[in-house]
Amino acid sequence: SRRAIRQFLGDNFTSLDSLELVDDLLKEEERTHAQLEQEAAVASKTTKSLVAEASSVADSVHSKAMHLIDVHSKVVGSTADESVSAWEFRDGTAVMELVSKLAAELQTYRRLRQAKEYIDEFIEIEKVAEQAAQSMEKSPQGVLSAYSASIALLSKHSSDSEITGNISAQNLLEYIKHTVSNIWTNAETTAANAQSECLRKMGWPGKIDPPVSVLGEFGANFSMLASLDHITRDASKVLRQSGVQLQSEDAPPLPLKHMARAVDIRMRYHFESARGTSRADRPEWWLSQVMNMVRSLVPLLELHVQSLYDRSALPPLDVRN
């Protein structure tokens, strides 16, 4: 072998230049070999990393599939098949088919749960509305409690970040707004009518002669209206953000507003109608009527209405004004 090599070199590379060429070729071959070995090492490392990653993914898929099986078992009341081994899940197609099936079922269960929550919210609102309706004639505190509860529900759902684009949540919010408005309207109307009836029995806005029993009833209705007004003013930010307008922010206190209504009706009856007292050339008649009403009404305002108002949570005010 060595003889054959020496003969080959002797026959083909007899000059110095030819030997230098052989040296260059050998060095180039060594460099190429070293580069190939380096690339092979990198490829081997990459292959090992990919194999480890693939194994990790397979284990993760298997773990999640087993978790979904457990969830499915709890939902439908069955038990997981313990004979299923990890190796049987190495087939990615089989795993994904199972995962897809379980995910579809879980999505159905999720929608059912959301529907149940939606129905539960409606039931809660209906309970609040029913409480208000049942308490309207008998229990002012029951009405106020229901009204406060409806505003709390309005605050909860109007601040829900998931309401945008959610038709069910939007419908629920509209129903709550409708309920709040209905409770307010019915409570105000009922208490205002009862207060007006008490005022009528006392002779308001004419000569006042209030029986003690009527004064007590009047005080209860006055306090009811004042509390209703106070709750509404406290919730003004929530109501405004939800687009619910029950009264203007600069509206007079609710009980005084309805007391003043009777005075306004009396004055319009005498001086803005076809009656003989409605004469622009006799302004002294209008002034005389005003003075008579002031003399008649001020004692009631000072002795009873002012103390009722002061016990309310409304801003301080001289009711004579």
Side-chain angles (χ1 to χ4, degrees):
S1 170
R2 290 183 178 179
R3 182 181 298 175
I5 292 174
R6 282 197 296 269
Q7 184 179 354
F8 173 76
L9 293 175
D11 294 340
N12 295 283
F13 301 97
T14 57
S15 66
L16 182 61
D17 290 339
S18 61
L19 291 175
E20 289 178 351
L21 176 60
V22 171
D23 184 59
D24 291 340
L25 291 173
L26 290 175
K27 289 180 180 179
E28 180 66 25
E29 180 64 24
E30 288 176 353
R31 285 195 295 270
T32 302
H33 181 71
Q35 183 177 357
L36 289 174
E37 285 186 338
Q38 184 179 4
E39 292 178 355
V42 172
S44 177
K45 184 178 180 180
T46 302
T47 302
K48 290 180 180 179
S49 175
L50 290 174
V51 169
E53 184 178 352
S55 178
S56 175
V57 170
D59 290 339
S60 176
V61 170
H62 169 260
S63 175
K64 291 180 179 179
M66 293 302 295
H67 174 69
L68 288 172
I69 289 175
D70 291 338
V71 173
H72 177 268
S73 300
K74 292 177 182 179
V75 173
V76 301
S78 62
T79 58
D81 186 359
E82 297 180 355
S83 65
V84 177
S85 67
W87 294 105
E88 290 176 332
F89 283 89
R90 293 302 182 187
D91 183 343
T93 302
V95 171
M96 293 313 298
E97 287 178 356
L98 176 60
V99 170
S100 298
K101 182 179 179 181
L102 293 175
E105 292 188 17
L106 289 175
Q107 183 66 21
T108 300
Y109 299 141
R110 188 176 295 109
R111 287 196 296 267
L112 290 174
R113 186 179 68 250
Q114 291 174 344
K116 182 180 180 300
E117 292 173 354
Y118 184 70
I119 293 172
D120 288 344
E121 293 289 352
F122 261 105
I123 292 174
E124 185 177 359
I125 300 166
E126 281 299 309
K127 287 181 178 179
V128 169
E130 184 178 0
Q131 177 188 346
Q134 292 178 348
S135 305
M136 197 64 67
E137 301 291 343
K138 303 176 182 178
S139 173
Q141 288 304 317
V143 176
L144 295 174
S145 175
Y147 182 54
S148 296
S150 69
I151 290 179
L153 287 171
L154 180 64
S155 175
K156 172 185 174 183
H157 290 278
S158 61
S159 60
D160 191 348
S161 60
E162 297 181 358
I163 191 171
T164 304
N166 189 328
I167 301 300
S168 297
Q170 292 174 3
N171 290 338
L172 183 62
L173 178 60
E174 288 301 318
Y175 188 65
I176 296 174
K177 291 162 61 175
H178 178 73
T179 300
V180 170
S181 297
N182 275 352
I183 294 177
W184 156 269
T185 301
N186 293 335
E188 180 194 14
T189 301
T190 300
N193 289 342
Q195 177 180 272
S196 297
E197 179 60 19
C198 292
L199 290 172
R200 185 191 65 78
K201 292 178 181 179
M202 290 189 295
W204 181 278
K207 185 178 180 180
I208 305 298
D209 185 19
V212 176
S213 60
V214 176
L215 278 176
E217 187 180 349
F218 167 75
N221 290 297
F222 186 99
S223 297
M224 170 65 178
L225 288 170
S227 297
L228 192 66
D229 192 349
H230 173 64
I231 294 172
T232 304
R233 291 177 190 272
D234 274 0
S236 60
K237 182 178 179 180
V238 172
L239 295 170
R240 182 171 59 254
Q241 290 177 344
S242 303
V244 179
Q245 184 173 4
L246 303 178
Q247 62 177 3
S248 61
E249 294 185 3
D250 58 348
L254 203 57
L256 299 181
K257 169 187 172 182
H258 289 288
M259 290 184 70
R261 186 175 61 180
V263 177
D264 182 64
I265 291 174
R266 175 69 64 88
M267 295 299 291
R268 289 178 183 276
Y269 174 75
H270 286 294
F271 301 104
E272 292 186 13
S273 64
R275 295 180 59 81
T277 52
S278 179
R279 292 180 55 177
D281 61 329
R282 303 301 297 270
E284 66 274 15
W285 289 2
W286 180 89
L287 181 60
S288 176
Q289 179 68 16
V290 170
M291 295 303 296
N292 289 335
M293 293 180 69
V294 168
R295 283 192 293 269
S296 177
L297 303 182
V298 165
L300 177 68
L301 296 175
E302 292 178 335
L303 296 176
H304 300 288
V305 177
Q306 186 67 60
S307 62
L308 287 171
Y309 186 87
D310 291 343
R311 290 198 296 270
S312 73
L314 294 173
L317 177 70
D318 186 341
V319 299
R320 295 173 301 179
N321 297 328

